[in-house]
Amino acid sequence: MKVEGSVKTVILGEIIFPILLLVFGIYHGLMQALYRAGIIKDMSFLGIEYYQGLTLHGVINAVVFTTMVIVAFGNAVFLYYLKKPLRPAVQWVSFLMMVIGTLMAAWAMFTGKANVLYTFYLPLVAHPAFYIGAALLLVGSIIPLFFDWAPNYIAWRKEHPGEKVPLAVFGVFVNHIMWVIMLVPVVITVVFQMIPLSLGITQEENVSLSRTLFWAFGHPLVYFWLLPAYTMLYTILPKIVTGDGKLYSDSAARFAFILFILFSFPVGLHHQFTEPAVTNNYKLIHALFTFGVAVPSMLTAFTVAASLEYSIKQKYPEVRDSLFYWWTKIPYISLEGDKWLVSYFMAGLFLFFVGGITGIVNASYNVNLVVHNTSFVPGHFHTTVGGLVTLSLLGISLYMVSKLMGKDIRFKGLAVLAPWLWWQGMLIFEYAMSVAGIHGFPRRTNAGLSYLNPESPLYRPEWVGYAELSAFAAFIIVLGFVFWAVSFFGTILSPKVREETLEFPTASALHDEKAPALNRLTPWFTVSVLLFVLSYLPALYDVTKRGVFFDSPGYNDKNPVPITKPQ
Ligand code: HAS
Ligand code: HEM
Ligand code: CU
């Protein structure tokens, strides 16, 4: 379909702007890995210090890049599947808010006024520009939901009584409503705790409360990143794997999304198992719910595998009787049509398999105490958000840009190899970080200057090899990213060869049951919000027992965290 000019510009902007920043974010990933291995002694040529770089890396890669590309994908999905125009004014307001907000936060981070890491909970305090910038980015990202997607969704349902909304629209819509709900707690801590402390209006704040409110947002946030990838796995992957493949079950897909609505929220305390202020029992309840929220991912693993198996066996009768041999027919490296995208999804799925296992390790309360705050945790999330999620977003960005600009994908060979290099690099990175983590290698520490430096009294030789292995892995990942970037920017800069269009390959479902309960969102969201509130009331009571507004001064560049020097 054709897309109206200025809406197209916005969607392209929502892809290209964060990707320009991502180049810096990825560069900093490499710098960090080198620094942690003691290979470089200074963080970068730009004079950025360790925590500043870590903040930039986390915020750019995990917050800005993901959010903006997810909004671009959502806009494109709504346009293509509902065939209803988006309002240019709404789109521009949303886009400009996200860009201005990002630039404000970037200014604060680059000038060293916001070394608060991407999990910006107290007691670390940033310049107000960081918070206001973050708020603009987040509010900008929900504007399309209220003023474009929801009205179009409602109108479509009126025009198509009794029909199911297209699955991709269902996935994107559910995800964005969850996004709005999870923003509530983080907005409360930003507006009532962080900004007043940052402006000097208050002198101290309740840190446990801030952490609890942050993680009530911080965990569901990871599903805000994940569900767009799942939407692609359910709708695009089965179709392109053979050219005419099918999704095994539409209801299984919708059921998985609904389980995410229910279980994404009452789990945030699994980030706070070591939080002194909260009673153990409440943490255990969140740990159990966390096992619950792994179920829709397992369901997804089975539905995706079943879709691949069915589609491949339909196309290639010779593997019909095989148990595993059909795996060899998946076009892992194919230049034909849209099949190049398969490599992004498959490489991502292989990584996510590991991410799922390490996630369950993290979630297992007492086992968490072994890995918490060690490099095991970055190992886990570079195969989830840095694995399946990033690869899906990189793949779909290249796909959307080529369609919307009417251009052929340039350097397609590089584009197909890129995700496999990324996969290989991340797998080694994950191995090195996880094993080192089990040996106690900490995350978020100036490791290069202490634990890995033979002159330091803190020197730990058993971590050195793993840190060096992760630096080696970082080079492979960066090479993968360079391959992707050559193809991406090569495509953008190449001449237009076709009409500009927008379309997504979409698999129809083999089992396409009506299942009306799975298409009504209000009851599920009502139960979800109730569960969210109930699961958090006891913890909130615990952390505010001794008062709501007290506790600790904030730490920032003028009032740094007191650091104990090694003896
Ligand atoms: Fe996590 C920490 C638990 C999923 C991201 N997680 C983090 C942090 C991030 C993150 C960024 O319970 C760090 C936060 C910080 O800075 O402190 N996580 C889980 C669990 C899951 C999980 C139980 N995480 C994610 C996803 C993320 C993400 C998704 C981003 C997108 N995570 C934790 C916990 C912590 C944590 C604790 C706190 C740790 C600490 O101590 O600080 C589950 O949702 C995972 C379920 C997934 C599965 C896998 C299904 C498999 C699939 C692939 C199938 C493959 C196929 C191909 C078909 C059950 C879908 C064939 C392949 C073959 C190999 C056969
Ligand atoms: C942290 C490497 C890509 C998200 C880190 C750390 C390293 C690293 C070494 C620091 C761990 C520490 O000192 O505690 C890399 C490399 C990458 C890469 C080599 C690719 C070349 C990504 C991507 C994402 C991502 C694509 C997400 C989309 C994060 C986050 C953190 C992190 C959220 C945690 C920051 C914090 O603790 O505050 N990365 N990374 N990284 N990375 Fe990456
Ligand atoms: Cu979590």
Side-chain angles (χ1 to χ4, degrees):
M1 69 177 283
K2 204 148 170 49
V3 182
E4 197 267 319
S6 80
V7 169
K8 189 182 72 193
T9 313
V10 168
I11 299 181
L12 286 171
E14 285 166 349
I15 298 172
I16 296 169
F17 172 75
I19 279 169
L20 290 173
L21 287 174
L22 183 69
V23 172
F24 183 80
I26 297 285
Y27 156 80
H28 241 278
L30 175 65
M31 285 299 150
Q32 252 153 217
L34 294 177
Y35 182 76
R36 284 176 62 86
I39 296 169
I40 54 168
K41 301 281 179 253
D42 194 1
M43 268 301 277
S44 79
F45 306 117
L46 304 172
I48 289 172
E49 63 96 19
Y50 173 72
Y51 286 107
Q52 191 181 4
L54 198 54
T55 308
L56 279 159
H57 177 76
V59 170
I60 291 176
N61 294 10
V63 182
V64 177
F65 163 69
T66 49
T67 305
M68 288 187 83
V69 177
I70 287 170
V71 172
F73 176 65
N75 278 328
V77 159
F78 265 83
L79 260 175
Y80 174 67
Y81 288 98
L82 296 191
K83 303 275 178 297
K84 289 187 178 299
L86 300 178
R87 297 146 190 82
V90 171
Q91 291 296 317
W92 277 106
V93 169
S94 145
F95 177 57
L96 291 177
M97 281 177 83
M98 291 195 286
V99 170
I100 294 169
T102 301
L103 293 177
M104 282 175 77
W107 170 81
M109 289 185 289
F110 274 107
T111 51
K113 293 178 168 32
N115 296 349
V116 291
L117 305 177
Y118 83 109
T119 52
F120 45 88
Y121 49 72
L122 296 175
L124 299 181
V125 187
H127 188 281
F130 177 84
Y131 302 116
I132 298 167
L136 283 174
L137 169 68
L138 301 181
V139 174
S141 76
I142 58 175
I143 285 184
L145 173 71
F146 288 109
F147 300 103
D148 263 336
W149 305 354
N152 287 4
Y153 179 93
I154 294 165
W156 189 93
R157 289 205 69 158
K158 274 210 187 97
E159 290 159 19
H160 301 79
E163 273 182 53
K164 293 193 280 193
V165 284
L167 180 58
V169 172
F170 185 82
V172 166
F173 196 52
V174 161
N175 193 36
H176 241 71
I177 300 175
M178 282 171 52
W179 181 226
V180 173
I181 297 174
M182 72 184 81
L183 286 177
V184 174
V186 76
V187 166
I188 294 176
T189 170
V190 168
V191 172
F192 295 106
Q193 296 192 287
M194 296 175 187
I195 293 183
L197 199 55
S198 167
L199 290 172
I201 299 170
T202 52
Q203 302 311 317
E204 55 173 39
E205 280 300 340
N206 181 337
V207 172
S208 296
L209 174 62
S210 172
R211 271 199 291 260
T212 307
L213 290 169
F214 178 87
W215 284 119
F217 153 78
H219 182 82
L221 169 67
V222 312
Y223 299 125
F224 171 68
W225 300 328
L226 184 68
L227 295 199
Y230 277 10
T231 304
M232 297 173 213
L233 293 177
Y234 283 131
T235 57
I236 301 176
L237 174 64
K239 171 79 177 176
I240 58 179
V241 76
T242 58
D244 56 358
K246 281 196 184 315
L247 166 67
Y248 190 75
S249 163
D250 177 84
S251 305
R254 285 175 208 250
F255 184 50
F257 285 125
I258 284 174
L259 290 178
F260 276 114
I261 301 179
L262 294 178
F263 296 133
S264 294
F265 299 100
V267 296
L269 289 181
H270 70 220
H271 293 267
Q272 292 173 274
F273 285 141
T274 54
E275 177 71 66
V278 179
T279 308
N280 290 349
N281 300 356
Y282 309 144
K283 296 175 186 167
L284 183 65
I285 292 170
H286 279 230
L288 295 175
F289 273 124
T290 307
F291 293 134
V293 80
V295 171
S297 285
M298 295 181 192
L299 201 61
T300 303
F302 283 107
T303 309
V304 170
S307 309
L308 296 179
E309 179 169 5
Y310 175 82
S311 306
I312 300 260
K313 288 189 171 175
Q314 282 302 106
K315 174 107 174 179
Y316 304 100
E318 68 272 24
V319 295
R320 233 168 243 177
D321 295 330
S322 75
L323 203 53
F324 293 115
Y325 190 65
W326 60 270
W327 280 93
T328 61
K329 297 284 183 199
I330 294 176
Y332 298 102
I333 305 182
S334 171
L335 298 180
E336 192 194 322
D338 293 330
K339 284 191 182 163
W340 61 273
L341 254 180
V342 172
S343 36
Y344 287 78
F345 296 131
M346 288 313 297
L349 278 166
F350 287 134
L351 284 176
F352 196 61
F353 187 79
V354 181
I357 294 171
T358 48
I360 304 284
V361 170
N362 290 342
S364 308
Y365 198 162
N366 52 344
V367 183
N368 179 275
L369 306 180
V370 177
V371 297
H372 184 60
N373 278 344
T374 72
S375 62
F376 188 92
V377 177
H380 157 67
F381 63 72
H382 281 86
T383 53
T384 54
V385 66
L388 174 64
V389 170
T390 302
L391 284 174
S392 305
L393 294 180
L394 290 180
I396 208 70
S397 297
L398 179 55
Y399 176 87
M400 289 199 289
V401 159
S402 89
K403 293 286 170 206
L404 285 169
M405 297 179 97
K407 299 182 174 184
D408 277 340
I409 289 175
R410 297 297 311 277
F411 308 106
K412 219 175 179 181
L414 295 183
V416 168
L417 290 178
W420 293 112
L421 281 168
W422 188 284
W423 164 78
Q424 183 61 75
M426 274 306 179
L427 214 55
I428 300 175
F429 183 78
E430 149 70 350
Y431 167 79
M433 297 287 274
S434 284
V435 179
I438 292 168
H439 290 286
F441 190 29
R443 68 182 286 207
R444 294 180 163 176
T445 44
N446 271 311
L449 291 184
S450 53
Y451 303 107
L452 303 177
N453 179 358
E455 271 132 52
S456 158
L458 293 174
Y459 178 60
R460 292 286 297 263
E462 66 270 37
W463 296 336
V464 178
Y466 294 114
E468 285 169 353
L469 186 60
S470 69
F472 165 73
F475 278 109
I476 306 181
I477 312 167
V478 169
L479 187 65
F481 183 72
V482 170
F483 277 22
W484 175 87
V486 168
S487 175
F488 182 80
F489 291 109
T491 303
I492 291 184
L493 298 174
S494 69
K496 185 179 142 188
V497 291
R498 281 178 281 108
E499 264 306 290
E500 296 136 338
T501 56
L502 175 64
E503 65 201 32
F504 288 110
T506 312
S508 56
L510 177 65
H511 298 288
D512 199 3
E513 307 82 357
K514 269 217 153 317
L518 298 180
N519 288 290
R520 305 222 4 239
L521 293 179
T522 321
W524 301 113
F525 273 110
T526 312
V527 178
S528 158
V529 171
L530 273 175
L531 208 56
F532 192 15
V533 172
L534 280 178
S535 73
Y536 264 100
L537 277 180
L540 288 172
Y541 171 74
D542 269 358
V543 294
T544 49
K545 251 190 247 172
R546 295 188 300 131
V548 179
F549 306 103
F550 77 97
D551 206 17
S552 159
Y555 296 110
N556 57 22
D557 49 341
K558 293 190 195 66
N559 179 26
V561 184
I563 294 174
T564 324
K565 291 237 166 62
Q567 298 305 309

